[in-house]
Amino acid sequence: MTATTEKNNRLGEILKGMNRVIVAFSGGVDSTLVLKRAQQELGSNNVLAVVVASELFRKEEFEGAVKLAKELGANVLETEIRELEDEGVAANTPDSWYFSKKLLYGQLNRLAKELGYDWVLDGMIMDDLDDFRPGLRARTEAGARSVLQEADLYKREVRELSKALELPVWDKPASCSLSSRIPYGERLDKEKIRQVDEAEKFIAKLGVDMVRVRHHGNTARIEVAPEKMAELLEHRERVLLKLTALGFQYISVDLRGYRTGSMNEVLSEEDMEDKAN
């Protein structure tokens, strides 16, 4: 028996004792595995996939998550949170991730209480413990369960199990809140979110996937994989026209390339430890 199989068995044992659960479902590989395994261990009638619409995530991601949950035969509930109405989120400090997750878990806990579910489950994995994740504090305060972490599962193992279960998102890239494109200290609003959303979708449609457009006031800083930079520059005029029309005066390409969490690079190790605890 492999280590991954043992962890999967442990995950099953954890889930079996939970009775009725809500799964915070984003349509990503982690929450999809949680949903599928919960259905297997508890039966679909005892599992509710809650898909949360947010101003800080793409509408297409919400719609895709709802579609996927239904394809998996899950009971689905659609709800929303208005994060930009929360001052802690809109202020866009490192603590904003905590306030965002606090809103999410608060909504999920209310639904669990109203609908008679025993636990709220999320898709956090062991890899999340090594990153800047102030949302961990919000999860712990809310009493939600990260069953993949409890089973000691890492991303590579989650993908391995998801592939074995023939889940269609087993190799789906991770996504993140659009607010992550805006530097800490610069207040969030719908217009900035719209600018980065439309800019990224436009560049992706050109065939340059895995793109981030970082919002620095009147400057757009584009991150793509180094091997994609030449391809991006082939579309230079179209990109300039589109991003200028979106309101950016200056458009740059980051020579360090695409990387997750680049806005966190300004934080010291001490800052990250303080905010995560």
Side-chain angles (χ1 to χ4, degrees):
M1 182 181 296
T2 67
T4 303
T5 300
E6 290 180 359
K7 292 181 181 183
N8 188 39
N9 290 341
R10 189 185 315 164
L11 174 61
E13 291 302 316
I14 292 167
L15 289 166
K16 282 177 183 176
M18 289 190 161
N19 196 25
R20 303 186 78 227
V21 301
I22 276 177
V23 176
F25 189 70
S26 67
V29 61
D30 303 322
S31 65
T32 301
L33 180 61
V34 173
L35 178 61
K36 181 64 175 181
R37 292 293 285 113
Q39 289 176 292
Q40 290 178 330
E41 299 296 346
L42 299 173
S44 292
N45 289 337
N46 293 316
V47 180
L48 179 65
V50 177
V51 187
V52 182
S54 162
E55 301 158 302
L56 304 184
F57 284 84
R58 291 195 172 97
K59 179 182 178 182
E60 293 86 351
E61 290 184 15
F62 171 79
E63 293 172 343
V66 171
K67 181 174 182 289
L68 175 59
K70 290 180 178 178
E71 288 174 351
L72 292 173
N75 296 315
V76 183
L77 176 65
E78 301 172 34
T79 187
E80 68 174 336
I81 53 176
R82 297 184 178 275
E83 293 176 274
L84 292 178
E85 294 178 4
D86 185 284
E87 179 57 30
V89 177
N92 194 25
T93 69
D95 258 344
S96 291
W97 296 99
Y98 164 77
F99 290 111
S100 176
K101 292 298 184 182
K102 187 174 181 178
L103 283 175
L104 172 64
Y105 290 119
Q107 179 82 323
L108 294 172
N109 275 341
R110 283 191 291 273
L111 290 170
K113 184 176 180 180
E114 291 171 7
L115 300 174
Y117 286 84
D118 301 285
W119 295 100
V120 169
L121 312 184
D122 67 22
M124 287 194 185
I125 56 176
M126 292 300 293
D127 307 65
D128 294 327
L129 299 176
D130 296 326
D131 198 1
F132 175 58
R133 299 281 181 174
L136 290 168
R137 176 160 56 101
R139 175 210 61 192
T140 301
E141 291 175 357
R145 300 277 295 272
S146 301
V147 290
L148 299 180
Q149 281 186 355
E150 293 179 29
D152 196 39
L153 284 160
Y154 288 82
K155 178 67 79 174
R156 60 178 177 78
E157 296 166 321
V158 168
R159 292 197 187 281
E160 180 184 340
L161 292 172
S162 298
K163 185 177 183 180
L165 288 168
E166 299 183 345
L167 299 178
V169 293
W170 72 269
D171 61 346
K172 181 180 178 180
S175 61
C176 188
S177 166
L178 292 167
S179 65
S180 67
R181 282 59 151 180
I182 300 168
Y184 292 124
E186 186 173 327
R187 191 173 182 83
L188 301 179
D189 59 43
K190 290 182 180 180
E191 176 60 16
K192 292 169 186 170
I193 297 299
R194 183 190 70 84
Q195 286 176 304
V196 296
D197 184 23
E198 292 192 20
E200 289 184 0
K201 286 192 290 189
F202 178 79
I203 294 171
K205 285 180 180 178
L206 297 175
V208 185
D209 53 1
M210 297 298 289
V211 58
R212 292 288 184 267
V213 176
R214 309 294 184 182
H215 192 298
H216 299 273
N218 59 3
T219 299
R221 174 168 59 88
I222 303 172
E223 295 178 10
V224 297
E227 63 272 18
K228 286 285 188 176
M229 288 182 185
E231 185 176 346
L232 174 68
L233 292 176
E234 290 176 4
H235 301 286
R236 173 179 171 275
E237 291 298 330
R238 294 181 66 186
V239 172
L240 286 172
L241 284 172
K242 177 63 176 181
L243 270 63
T244 300
L246 288 173
F248 294 108
Q249 292 180 294
Y250 305 100
I251 294 91
S252 66
V253 177
D254 191 326
L255 296 181
R256 288 173 294 181
Y258 172 88
R259 58 208 185 279
T260 59
S262 72
M263 289 304 197
N264 289 335
E265 292 168 357
V266 300
L267 300 177
S268 67
E269 290 186 12
E270 183 178 351
D271 287 334
M272 294 174 73
E273 288 175 1
D274 287 347
K275 299 301 182 184
N277 296 324

PDB file of all heavy atoms in Angstrom, residues 56-91:
ATOM      1  N   LEU A  56     -14.762  39.433  -5.934  1.00  0.00           N
ATOM      2  CA  LEU A  56     -13.319  39.345  -6.117  1.00  0.00           C
ATOM      3  C   LEU A  56     -12.888  38.121  -6.918  1.00  0.00           C
ATOM      4  O   LEU A  56     -11.688  37.896  -7.099  1.00  0.00           O
ATOM      5  CB  LEU A  56     -12.616  39.348  -4.756  1.00  0.00           C
ATOM      6  CG  LEU A  56     -12.933  40.550  -3.859  1.00  0.00           C
ATOM      7  CD1 LEU A  56     -12.111  40.486  -2.582  1.00  0.00           C
ATOM      8  CD2 LEU A  56     -12.686  41.865  -4.588  1.00  0.00           C
ATOM      9  N   PHE A  57     -13.852  37.338  -7.390  1.00  0.00           N
ATOM     10  CA  PHE A  57     -13.552  36.182  -8.224  1.00  0.00           C
ATOM     11  C   PHE A  57     -14.352  36.272  -9.523  1.00  0.00           C
ATOM     12  O   PHE A  57     -15.414  36.886  -9.566  1.00  0.00           O
ATOM     13  CB  PHE A  57     -13.895  34.877  -7.497  1.00  0.00           C
ATOM     14  CG  PHE A  57     -12.896  34.490  -6.445  1.00  0.00           C
ATOM     15  CD1 PHE A  57     -12.988  35.025  -5.164  1.00  0.00           C
ATOM     16  CD2 PHE A  57     -11.860  33.624  -6.735  1.00  0.00           C
ATOM     17  CE1 PHE A  57     -12.062  34.686  -4.186  1.00  0.00           C
ATOM     18  CE2 PHE A  57     -10.931  33.276  -5.767  1.00  0.00           C
ATOM     19  CZ  PHE A  57     -11.033  33.809  -4.491  1.00  0.00           C
ATOM     20  N   ARG A  58     -13.843  35.654 -10.551  1.00  0.00           N
ATOM     21  CA  ARG A  58     -14.502  35.720 -11.845  1.00  0.00           C
ATOM     22  C   ARG A  58     -15.853  35.019 -11.834  1.00  0.00           C
ATOM     23  O   ARG A  58     -16.010  33.948 -11.241  1.00  0.00           O
ATOM     24  CB  ARG A  58     -13.627  35.077 -12.926  1.00  0.00           C
ATOM     25  CG  ARG A  58     -12.383  35.871 -13.232  1.00  0.00           C
ATOM     26  CD  ARG A  58     -11.732  35.431 -14.544  1.00  0.00           C
ATOM     27  NE  ARG A  58     -10.668  36.363 -14.867  1.00  0.00           N
ATOM     28  CZ  ARG A  58      -9.382  36.158 -14.580  1.00  0.00           C
ATOM     29  NH1 ARG A  58      -9.007  35.036 -14.009  1.00  0.00           N
ATOM     30  NH2 ARG A  58      -8.482  37.073 -14.876  1.00  0.00           N
ATOM     31  N   LYS A  59     -16.803  35.623 -12.531  1.00  0.00           N
ATOM     32  CA  LYS A  59     -18.130  35.035 -12.678  1.00  0.00           C
ATOM     33  C   LYS A  59     -18.026  33.666 -13.339  1.00  0.00           C
ATOM     34  O   LYS A  59     -18.752  32.737 -12.987  1.00  0.00           O
ATOM     35  CB  LYS A  59     -19.004  35.964 -13.518  1.00  0.00           C
ATOM     36  CG  LYS A  59     -20.410  35.454 -13.758  1.00  0.00           C
ATOM     37  CD  LYS A  59     -21.199  36.426 -14.638  1.00  0.00           C
ATOM     38  CE  LYS A  59     -22.594  35.887 -14.920  1.00  0.00           C
ATOM     39  NZ  LYS A  59     -23.348  36.800 -15.824  1.00  0.00           N
ATOM     40  N   GLU A  60     -17.090  33.538 -14.278  1.00  0.00           N
ATOM     41  CA  GLU A  60     -16.927  32.275 -14.994  1.00  0.00           C
ATOM     42  C   GLU A  60     -16.495  31.153 -14.043  1.00  0.00           C
ATOM     43  O   GLU A  60     -16.866  29.991 -14.236  1.00  0.00           O
ATOM     44  CB  GLU A  60     -15.890  32.428 -16.107  1.00  0.00           C
ATOM     45  CG  GLU A  60     -16.310  33.336 -17.243  1.00  0.00           C
ATOM     46  CD  GLU A  60     -16.009  34.814 -17.000  1.00  0.00           C
ATOM     47  OE1 GLU A  60     -15.630  35.169 -15.857  1.00  0.00           O
ATOM     48  OE2 GLU A  60     -16.147  35.600 -17.940  1.00  0.00           O
ATOM     49  N   GLU A  61     -15.704  31.483 -13.024  1.00  0.00           N
ATOM     50  CA  GLU A  61     -15.276  30.470 -12.064  1.00  0.00           C
ATOM     51  C   GLU A  61     -16.458  29.990 -11.222  1.00  0.00           C
ATOM     52  O   GLU A  61     -16.591  28.794 -10.938  1.00  0.00           O
ATOM     53  CB  GLU A  61     -14.174  31.028 -11.166  1.00  0.00           C
ATOM     54  CG  GLU A  61     -12.854  31.252 -11.896  1.00  0.00           C
ATOM     55  CD  GLU A  61     -11.753  31.715 -10.962  1.00  0.00           C
ATOM     56  OE1 GLU A  61     -11.921  31.597  -9.728  1.00  0.00           O
ATOM     57  OE2 GLU A  61     -10.724  32.198 -11.460  1.00  0.00           O
ATOM     58  N   PHE A  62     -17.311  30.931 -10.819  1.00  0.00           N
ATOM     59  CA  PHE A  62     -18.512  30.577 -10.063  1.00  0.00           C
ATOM     60  C   PHE A  62     -19.417  29.670 -10.892  1.00  0.00           C
ATOM     61  O   PHE A  62     -19.852  28.604 -10.426  1.00  0.00           O
ATOM     62  CB  PHE A  62     -19.252  31.853  -9.662  1.00  0.00           C
ATOM     63  CG  PHE A  62     -20.615  31.608  -9.070  1.00  0.00           C
ATOM     64  CD1 PHE A  62     -20.751  31.217  -7.749  1.00  0.00           C
ATOM     65  CD2 PHE A  62     -21.759  31.768  -9.837  1.00  0.00           C
ATOM     66  CE1 PHE A  62     -22.002  30.978  -7.195  1.00  0.00           C
ATOM     67  CE2 PHE A  62     -23.014  31.539  -9.299  1.00  0.00           C
ATOM     68  CZ  PHE A  62     -23.132  31.149  -7.969  1.00  0.00           C
ATOM     69  N   GLU A  63     -19.673  30.062 -12.125  1.00  0.00           N
ATOM     70  CA  GLU A  63     -20.551  29.277 -12.988  1.00  0.00           C
ATOM     71  C   GLU A  63     -19.960  27.904 -13.280  1.00  0.00           C
ATOM     72  O   GLU A  63     -20.679  26.898 -13.314  1.00  0.00           O
ATOM     73  CB  GLU A  63     -20.808  30.039 -14.295  1.00  0.00           C
ATOM     74  CG  GLU A  63     -21.614  31.318 -14.100  1.00  0.00           C
ATOM     75  CD  GLU A  63     -21.701  32.165 -15.354  1.00  0.00           C
ATOM     76  OE1 GLU A  63     -20.874  31.935 -16.279  1.00  0.00           O
ATOM     77  OE2 GLU A  63     -22.558  33.058 -15.413  1.00  0.00           O
ATOM     78  N   GLY A  64     -18.638  27.849 -13.471  1.00  0.00           N
ATOM     79  CA  GLY A  64     -17.980  26.579 -13.726  1.00  0.00           C
ATOM     80  C   GLY A  64     -18.060  25.649 -12.530  1.00  0.00           C
ATOM     81  O   GLY A  64     -18.224  24.428 -12.680  1.00  0.00           O
ATOM     82  N   ALA A  65     -17.947  26.213 -11.327  1.00  0.00           N
ATOM     83  CA  ALA A  65     -18.030  25.404 -10.103  1.00  0.00           C
ATOM     84  C   ALA A  65     -19.430  24.825  -9.931  1.00  0.00           C
ATOM     85  O   ALA A  65     -19.588  23.651  -9.569  1.00  0.00           O
ATOM     86  CB  ALA A  65     -17.645  26.241  -8.896  1.00  0.00           C
ATOM     87  N   VAL A  66     -20.445  25.627 -10.175  1.00  0.00           N
ATOM     88  CA  VAL A  66     -21.831  25.144 -10.077  1.00  0.00           C
ATOM     89  C   VAL A  66     -22.060  24.006 -11.069  1.00  0.00           C
ATOM     90  O   VAL A  66     -22.625  22.946 -10.723  1.00  0.00           O
ATOM     91  CB  VAL A  66     -22.828  26.290 -10.338  1.00  0.00           C
ATOM     92  CG1 VAL A  66     -24.248  25.747 -10.444  1.00  0.00           C
ATOM     93  CG2 VAL A  66     -22.739  27.341  -9.235  1.00  0.00           C
ATOM     94  N   LYS A  67     -21.603  24.191 -12.289  1.00  0.00           N
ATOM     95  CA  LYS A  67     -21.772  23.173 -13.336  1.00  0.00           C
ATOM     96  C   LYS A  67     -21.060  21.875 -12.944  1.00  0.00           C
ATOM     97  O   LYS A  67     -21.625  20.778 -13.083  1.00  0.00           O
ATOM     98  CB  LYS A  67     -21.227  23.711 -14.661  1.00  0.00           C
ATOM     99  CG  LYS A  67     -21.371  22.767 -15.847  1.00  0.00           C
ATOM    100  CD  LYS A  67     -20.925  23.484 -17.129  1.00  0.00           C
ATOM    101  CE  LYS A  67     -21.104  22.591 -18.354  1.00  0.00           C
ATOM    102  NZ  LYS A  67     -20.128  21.492 -18.384  1.00  0.00           N
ATOM    103  N   LEU A  68     -19.819  21.996 -12.447  1.00  0.00           N
ATOM    104  CA  LEU A  68     -19.057  20.806 -12.085  1.00  0.00           C
ATOM    105  C   LEU A  68     -19.712  20.048 -10.932  1.00  0.00           C
ATOM    106  O   LEU A  68     -19.824  18.818 -10.959  1.00  0.00           O
ATOM    107  CB  LEU A  68     -17.630  21.198 -11.710  1.00  0.00           C
ATOM    108  CG  LEU A  68     -16.725  20.064 -11.196  1.00  0.00           C
ATOM    109  CD1 LEU A  68     -16.596  18.960 -12.236  1.00  0.00           C
ATOM    110  CD2 LEU A  68     -15.357  20.623 -10.814  1.00  0.00           C
ATOM    111  N   ALA A  69     -20.152  20.774  -9.903  1.00  0.00           N
ATOM    112  CA  ALA A  69     -20.794  20.123  -8.757  1.00  0.00           C
ATOM    113  C   ALA A  69     -22.026  19.345  -9.197  1.00  0.00           C
ATOM    114  O   ALA A  69     -22.260  18.213  -8.745  1.00  0.00           O
ATOM    115  CB  ALA A  69     -21.168  21.164  -7.706  1.00  0.00           C
ATOM    116  N   LYS A  70     -22.810  19.919 -10.104  1.00  0.00           N
ATOM    117  CA  LYS A  70     -23.997  19.226 -10.600  1.00  0.00           C
ATOM    118  C   LYS A  70     -23.621  18.004 -11.420  1.00  0.00           C
ATOM    119  O   LYS A  70     -24.275  16.958 -11.341  1.00  0.00           O
ATOM    120  CB  LYS A  70     -24.852  20.189 -11.419  1.00  0.00           C
ATOM    121  CG  LYS A  70     -25.530  21.268 -10.574  1.00  0.00           C
ATOM    122  CD  LYS A  70     -26.368  22.209 -11.422  1.00  0.00           C
ATOM    123  CE  LYS A  70     -27.077  23.247 -10.547  1.00  0.00           C
ATOM    124  NZ  LYS A  70     -27.871  24.203 -11.364  1.00  0.00           N
ATOM    125  N   GLU A  71     -22.548  18.100 -12.204  1.00  0.00           N
ATOM    126  CA  GLU A  71     -22.088  16.961 -12.995  1.00  0.00           C
ATOM    127  C   GLU A  71     -21.634  15.812 -12.098  1.00  0.00           C
ATOM    128  O   GLU A  71     -21.733  14.644 -12.471  1.00  0.00           O
ATOM    129  CB  GLU A  71     -20.942  17.387 -13.910  1.00  0.00           C
ATOM    130  CG  GLU A  71     -21.380  18.271 -15.072  1.00  0.00           C
ATOM    131  CD  GLU A  71     -20.217  18.812 -15.879  1.00  0.00           C
ATOM    132  OE1 GLU A  71     -19.049  18.638 -15.439  1.00  0.00           O
ATOM    133  OE2 GLU A  71     -20.461  19.405 -16.948  1.00  0.00           O
ATOM    134  N   LEU A  72     -21.139  16.162 -10.903  1.00  0.00           N
ATOM    135  CA  LEU A  72     -20.701  15.141  -9.950  1.00  0.00           C
ATOM    136  C   LEU A  72     -21.870  14.552  -9.164  1.00  0.00           C
ATOM    137  O   LEU A  72     -21.673  13.700  -8.297  1.00  0.00           O
ATOM    138  CB  LEU A  72     -19.672  15.737  -8.987  1.00  0.00           C
ATOM    139  CG  LEU A  72     -18.321  16.121  -9.609  1.00  0.00           C
ATOM    140  CD1 LEU A  72     -17.458  16.849  -8.588  1.00  0.00           C
ATOM    141  CD2 LEU A  72     -17.595  14.900 -10.153  1.00  0.00           C
ATOM    142  N   GLY A  73     -23.067  15.029  -9.455  1.00  0.00           N
ATOM    143  CA  GLY A  73     -24.256  14.508  -8.793  1.00  0.00           C
ATOM    144  C   GLY A  73     -24.477  15.048  -7.399  1.00  0.00           C
ATOM    145  O   GLY A  73     -25.202  14.444  -6.595  1.00  0.00           O
ATOM    146  N   ALA A  74     -23.879  16.193  -7.097  1.00  0.00           N
ATOM    147  CA  ALA A  74     -23.989  16.768  -5.754  1.00  0.00           C
ATOM    148  C   ALA A  74     -25.233  17.640  -5.616  1.00  0.00           C
ATOM    149  O   ALA A  74     -25.734  18.207  -6.598  1.00  0.00           O
ATOM    150  CB  ALA A  74     -22.749  17.606  -5.444  1.00  0.00           C
ATOM    151  N   ASN A  75     -25.726  17.740  -4.396  1.00  0.00           N
ATOM    152  CA  ASN A  75     -26.705  18.766  -4.065  1.00  0.00           C
ATOM    153  C   ASN A  75     -25.952  20.096  -4.006  1.00  0.00           C
ATOM    154  O   ASN A  75     -24.892  20.179  -3.371  1.00  0.00           O
ATOM    155  CB  ASN A  75     -27.353  18.467  -2.714  1.00  0.00           C
ATOM    156  CG  ASN A  75     -28.141  17.173  -2.738  1.00  0.00           C
ATOM    157  OD1 ASN A  75     -28.900  16.917  -3.673  1.00  0.00           O
ATOM    158  ND2 ASN A  75     -27.948  16.347  -1.722  1.00  0.00           N
ATOM    159  N   VAL A  76     -26.481  21.114  -4.649  1.00  0.00           N
ATOM    160  CA  VAL A  76     -25.753  22.376  -4.796  1.00  0.00           C
ATOM    161  C   VAL A  76     -26.578  23.534  -4.274  1.00  0.00           C
ATOM    162  O   VAL A  76     -27.786  23.630  -4.550  1.00  0.00           O
ATOM    163  CB  VAL A  76     -25.384  22.641  -6.276  1.00  0.00           C
ATOM    164  CG1 VAL A  76     -24.558  23.917  -6.401  1.00  0.00           C
ATOM    165  CG2 VAL A  76     -24.627  21.462  -6.868  1.00  0.00           C
ATOM    166  N   LEU A  77     -25.933  24.409  -3.535  1.00  0.00           N
ATOM    167  CA  LEU A  77     -26.550  25.654  -3.081  1.00  0.00           C
ATOM    168  C   LEU A  77     -25.669  26.810  -3.521  1.00  0.00           C
ATOM    169  O   LEU A  77     -24.467  26.827  -3.249  1.00  0.00           O
ATOM    170  CB  LEU A  77     -26.713  25.667  -1.563  1.00  0.00           C
ATOM    171  CG  LEU A  77     -27.260  26.965  -0.955  1.00  0.00           C
ATOM    172  CD1 LEU A  77     -28.695  27.209  -1.427  1.00  0.00           C
ATOM    173  CD2 LEU A  77     -27.203  26.920   0.565  1.00  0.00           C
ATOM    174  N   GLU A  78     -26.271  27.782  -4.208  1.00  0.00           N
ATOM    175  CA  GLU A  78     -25.547  28.976  -4.638  1.00  0.00           C
ATOM    176  C   GLU A  78     -25.823  30.110  -3.659  1.00  0.00           C
ATOM    177  O   GLU A  78     -26.977  30.335  -3.275  1.00  0.00           O
ATOM    178  CB  GLU A  78     -25.995  29.382  -6.042  1.00  0.00           C
ATOM    179  CG  GLU A  78     -25.781  28.308  -7.094  1.00  0.00           C
ATOM    180  CD  GLU A  78     -26.403  28.669  -8.433  1.00  0.00           C
ATOM    181  OE1 GLU A  78     -26.414  29.884  -8.768  1.00  0.00           O
ATOM    182  OE2 GLU A  78     -26.878  27.754  -9.135  1.00  0.00           O
ATOM    183  N   THR A  79     -24.767  30.803  -3.258  1.00  0.00           N
ATOM    184  CA  THR A  79     -24.913  31.938  -2.364  1.00  0.00           C
ATOM    185  C   THR A  79     -23.868  32.989  -2.735  1.00  0.00           C
ATOM    186  O   THR A  79     -23.119  32.800  -3.704  1.00  0.00           O
ATOM    187  CB  THR A  79     -24.768  31.503  -0.884  1.00  0.00           C
ATOM    188  OG1 THR A  79     -25.077  32.601  -0.023  1.00  0.00           O
ATOM    189  CG2 THR A  79     -23.361  31.008  -0.590  1.00  0.00           C
ATOM    190  N   GLU A  80     -23.822  34.089  -2.016  1.00  0.00           N
ATOM    191  CA  GLU A  80     -22.840  35.128  -2.332  1.00  0.00           C
ATOM    192  C   GLU A  80     -22.409  35.866  -1.084  1.00  0.00           C
ATOM    193  O   GLU A  80     -23.098  35.866  -0.064  1.00  0.00           O
ATOM    194  CB  GLU A  80     -23.408  36.122  -3.349  1.00  0.00           C
ATOM    195  CG  GLU A  80     -24.548  36.985  -2.817  1.00  0.00           C
ATOM    196  CD  GLU A  80     -24.993  38.052  -3.813  1.00  0.00           C
ATOM    197  OE1 GLU A  80     -24.177  38.431  -4.685  1.00  0.00           O
ATOM    198  OE2 GLU A  80     -26.138  38.499  -3.705  1.00  0.00           O
ATOM    199  N   ILE A  81     -21.240  36.469  -1.180  1.00  0.00           N
ATOM    200  CA  ILE A  81     -20.766  37.397  -0.153  1.00  0.00           C
ATOM    201  C   ILE A  81     -20.325  38.670  -0.854  1.00  0.00           C
ATOM    202  O   ILE A  81     -19.822  38.625  -1.983  1.00  0.00           O
ATOM    203  CB  ILE A  81     -19.607  36.808   0.685  1.00  0.00           C
ATOM    204  CG1 ILE A  81     -18.471  36.292  -0.208  1.00  0.00           C
ATOM    205  CG2 ILE A  81     -20.101  35.716   1.605  1.00  0.00           C
ATOM    206  CD1 ILE A  81     -17.268  35.801   0.570  1.00  0.00           C
ATOM    207  N   ARG A  82     -20.523  39.805  -0.200  1.00  0.00           N
ATOM    208  CA  ARG A  82     -20.148  41.098  -0.776  1.00  0.00           C
ATOM    209  C   ARG A  82     -18.927  41.622  -0.023  1.00  0.00           C
ATOM    210  O   ARG A  82     -19.050  42.382   0.933  1.00  0.00           O
ATOM    211  CB  ARG A  82     -21.324  42.071  -0.703  1.00  0.00           C
ATOM    212  CG  ARG A  82     -22.528  41.613  -1.517  1.00  0.00           C
ATOM    213  CD  ARG A  82     -23.642  42.638  -1.508  1.00  0.00           C
ATOM    214  NE  ARG A  82     -24.766  42.211  -2.329  1.00  0.00           N
ATOM    215  CZ  ARG A  82     -24.854  42.405  -3.648  1.00  0.00           C
ATOM    216  NH1 ARG A  82     -23.875  43.021  -4.284  1.00  0.00           N
ATOM    217  NH2 ARG A  82     -25.914  41.989  -4.315  1.00  0.00           N
ATOM    218  N   GLU A  83     -17.774  41.199  -0.477  1.00  0.00           N
ATOM    219  CA  GLU A  83     -16.543  41.479   0.252  1.00  0.00           C
ATOM    220  C   GLU A  83     -16.149  42.952   0.232  1.00  0.00           C
ATOM    221  O   GLU A  83     -15.564  43.455   1.196  1.00  0.00           O
ATOM    222  CB  GLU A  83     -15.415  40.614  -0.311  1.00  0.00           C
ATOM    223  CG  GLU A  83     -15.640  39.134  -0.036  1.00  0.00           C
ATOM    224  CD  GLU A  83     -14.591  38.256  -0.671  1.00  0.00           C
ATOM    225  OE1 GLU A  83     -14.765  37.901  -1.857  1.00  0.00           O
ATOM    226  OE2 GLU A  83     -13.611  37.925   0.010  1.00  0.00           O
ATOM    227  N   LEU A  84     -16.458  43.648  -0.854  1.00  0.00           N
ATOM    228  CA  LEU A  84     -16.051  45.047  -0.944  1.00  0.00           C
ATOM    229  C   LEU A  84     -16.846  45.946   0.005  1.00  0.00           C
ATOM    230  O   LEU A  84     -16.469  47.099   0.227  1.00  0.00           O
ATOM    231  CB  LEU A  84     -16.185  45.550  -2.384  1.00  0.00           C
ATOM    232  CG  LEU A  84     -15.204  44.924  -3.381  1.00  0.00           C
ATOM    233  CD1 LEU A  84     -15.448  45.452  -4.779  1.00  0.00           C
ATOM    234  CD2 LEU A  84     -13.760  45.178  -2.954  1.00  0.00           C
ATOM    235  N   GLU A  85     -17.930  45.430   0.564  1.00  0.00           N
ATOM    236  CA  GLU A  85     -18.686  46.192   1.556  1.00  0.00           C
ATOM    237  C   GLU A  85     -18.084  46.061   2.953  1.00  0.00           C
ATOM    238  O   GLU A  85     -18.498  46.758   3.882  1.00  0.00           O
ATOM    239  CB  GLU A  85     -20.145  45.720   1.576  1.00  0.00           C
ATOM    240  CG  GLU A  85     -20.892  46.019   0.277  1.00  0.00           C
ATOM    241  CD  GLU A  85     -22.326  45.510   0.298  1.00  0.00           C
ATOM    242  OE1 GLU A  85     -22.754  44.992   1.367  1.00  0.00           O
ATOM    243  OE2 GLU A  85     -23.004  45.628  -0.736  1.00  0.00           O
ATOM    244  N   ASP A  86     -17.117  45.170   3.101  1.00  0.00           N
ATOM    245  CA  ASP A  86     -16.440  44.972   4.381  1.00  0.00           C
ATOM    246  C   ASP A  86     -15.166  45.814   4.398  1.00  0.00           C
ATOM    247  O   ASP A  86     -14.284  45.636   3.554  1.00  0.00           O
ATOM    248  CB  ASP A  86     -16.099  43.501   4.571  1.00  0.00           C
ATOM    249  CG  ASP A  86     -15.511  43.201   5.929  1.00  0.00           C
ATOM    250  OD1 ASP A  86     -14.322  43.529   6.140  1.00  0.00           O
ATOM    251  OD2 ASP A  86     -16.204  42.642   6.790  1.00  0.00           O
ATOM    252  N   GLU A  87     -15.055  46.730   5.349  1.00  0.00           N
ATOM    253  CA  GLU A  87     -13.917  47.638   5.393  1.00  0.00           C
ATOM    254  C   GLU A  87     -12.601  46.892   5.548  1.00  0.00           C
ATOM    255  O   GLU A  87     -11.572  47.281   4.990  1.00  0.00           O
ATOM    256  CB  GLU A  87     -14.080  48.637   6.538  1.00  0.00           C
ATOM    257  CG  GLU A  87     -12.930  49.633   6.689  1.00  0.00           C
ATOM    258  CD  GLU A  87     -12.660  50.446   5.432  1.00  0.00           C
ATOM    259  OE1 GLU A  87     -13.611  50.701   4.666  1.00  0.00           O
ATOM    260  OE2 GLU A  87     -11.490  50.820   5.218  1.00  0.00           O
ATOM    261  N   GLY A  88     -12.623  45.793   6.316  1.00  0.00           N
ATOM    262  CA  GLY A  88     -11.406  45.020   6.509  1.00  0.00           C
ATOM    263  C   GLY A  88     -10.876  44.434   5.213  1.00  0.00           C
ATOM    264  O   GLY A  88      -9.665  44.309   5.019  1.00  0.00           O
ATOM    265  N   VAL A  89     -11.779  44.069   4.297  1.00  0.00           N
ATOM    266  CA  VAL A  89     -11.378  43.546   2.993  1.00  0.00           C
ATOM    267  C   VAL A  89     -10.980  44.685   2.061  1.00  0.00           C
ATOM    268  O   VAL A  89      -9.925  44.657   1.423  1.00  0.00           O
ATOM    269  CB  VAL A  89     -12.508  42.714   2.358  1.00  0.00           C
ATOM    270  CG1 VAL A  89     -12.110  42.245   0.960  1.00  0.00           C
ATOM    271  CG2 VAL A  89     -12.857  41.527   3.237  1.00  0.00           C
ATOM    272  N   ALA A  90     -11.825  45.708   1.969  1.00  0.00           N
ATOM    273  CA  ALA A  90     -11.604  46.803   1.017  1.00  0.00           C
ATOM    274  C   ALA A  90     -10.321  47.565   1.296  1.00  0.00           C
ATOM    275  O   ALA A  90      -9.691  48.100   0.377  1.00  0.00           O
ATOM    276  CB  ALA A  90     -12.794  47.757   1.039  1.00  0.00           C
ATOM    277  N   ALA A  91      -9.885  47.613   2.557  1.00  0.00           N
ATOM    278  CA  ALA A  91      -8.652  48.343   2.902  1.00  0.00           C
ATOM    279  C   ALA A  91      -7.427  47.705   2.264  1.00  0.00           C
ATOM    280  O   ALA A  91      -6.396  48.363   2.082  1.00  0.00           O
ATOM    281  CB  ALA A  91      -8.500  48.388   4.420  1.00  0.00           C
TER     282      ALA A  91
END
